[in-house]
Amino acid sequence: MDELSARFADPVALSGSLVALEPLGAGHVEGLRRVVAEGELHRTWYTRVPAPQDVAAEVERRLALHARGAMAPWALRRLDTGEVCGATTFMNLDAANRRLEIGSTFLARSAQGTGVNAEAKLLLLARAFEELGCAAVELRTHWHNHQSRAAIARLGAKQDGVLRNHVLWHDGSYRDTVVFSILDGEWPAVRSGLRGRLAAR
């Protein structure tokens, strides 16, 4: 693996005033089990959130992808309570073309609407554009996940299109994947928007 590819796959610690992003490890499993159990996030049919009993396997899967240089996985920790409140990744890493996707994200119900997600995205996007020199960052979601689509649009991402019948889903249906992206030239405005949202809390 070349140096740039290794940097893309490196989940360096990131921290703001509301949330810290920690390199994912086995020590986060119990906290993440509580996250998915709260509000039974795994029961939402259009997401791929692991059930509590599957969290350890999902952490192992992410760590295996990281070991192959294919993913940078983090756990999210609220700074007001000290509790683990979610997980996220850089995935579909394409260092040669300076592209990656922020995805495989889930957040505790109690952390939603608190500014944690906005600050986490600010930290991740700053790393992608300012430290890794990305030309574009993608965010993808299920067509039926209207909450996620609205949240991505609020970031300032633009919808590129919809990949029809893109992924065979766990219930036998096909997922239509909505693809959004932020380009490097759009990052200053997106950054200002996120900072403004956080300051207005």
Side-chain angles (χ1 to χ4, degrees):
M1 187 188 314
D2 62 48
E3 181 181 351
L4 183 60
S5 295
R7 290 182 64 217
F8 268 57
D10 184 9
V12 298
L14 304 168
S15 188
S17 61
L18 302 174
V19 64
L21 278 68
E22 304 170 353
L24 183 67
H28 293 111
V29 168
E30 287 306 315
L32 291 174
R33 281 186 178 138
R34 290 191 292 273
V35 166
V36 299
E38 179 192 324
E40 298 190 316
L41 296 180
H42 60 287
R43 297 193 184 279
T44 306
W45 71 271
Y46 48 74
T47 65
R48 277 187 167 162
V49 177
Q53 66 271 19
D54 298 325
V55 166
E58 175 60 14
V59 169
E60 288 177 7
R61 184 188 75 84
R62 295 184 186 205
L63 292 177
L65 287 168
H66 169 60
R68 297 203 304 267
M71 178 178 280
W74 287 272
L76 280 64
R77 188 179 300 277
R78 290 183 65 158
L79 296 180
D80 57 351
T81 66
E83 296 295 321
V84 171
C85 64
T88 193
T89 76
F90 282 169
M91 54 190 285
N92 293 324
L93 307 179
D94 184 0
N97 291 301
R98 304 298 200 277
R99 299 181 66 93
L100 57 80
E101 178 186 346
I102 297 174
S104 293
T105 301
F106 58 89
L107 190 66
R109 293 273 190 218
S110 57
Q112 296 175 19
T114 64
V116 162
N117 184 56
E119 187 174 69
K121 292 298 191 295
L122 178 62
L123 294 167
L124 290 166
L125 289 166
R127 170 141 178 87
F129 288 116
E130 297 171 16
E131 298 178 21
L132 300 178
C134 282
V137 172
E138 285 189 6
L139 301 102
R140 298 184 174 203
T141 193
H142 197 297
W143 173 264
H144 287 280
N145 194 341
H146 297 289
Q147 180 180 352
S148 177
R149 288 168 61 186
I152 293 169
R154 277 197 305 275
L155 294 174
K158 305 293 193 301
Q159 183 174 316
D160 295 323
V162 182
L163 303 175
R164 307 291 302 280
N165 277 6
H166 181 227
V167 178
L168 183 60
W169 214 235
H170 44 75
D171 64 356
S173 67
Y174 275 91
R175 171 175 120 158
D176 288 349
T177 300
V178 188
V179 183
F180 294 81
S181 67
I182 299 169
L183 305 183
D184 52 356
E186 298 166 342
W187 165 235
V190 169
R191 179 178 56 205
S192 294
L194 284 168
R195 286 175 174 170
R197 281 172 57 186
L198 290 165
R201 292 186 66 256

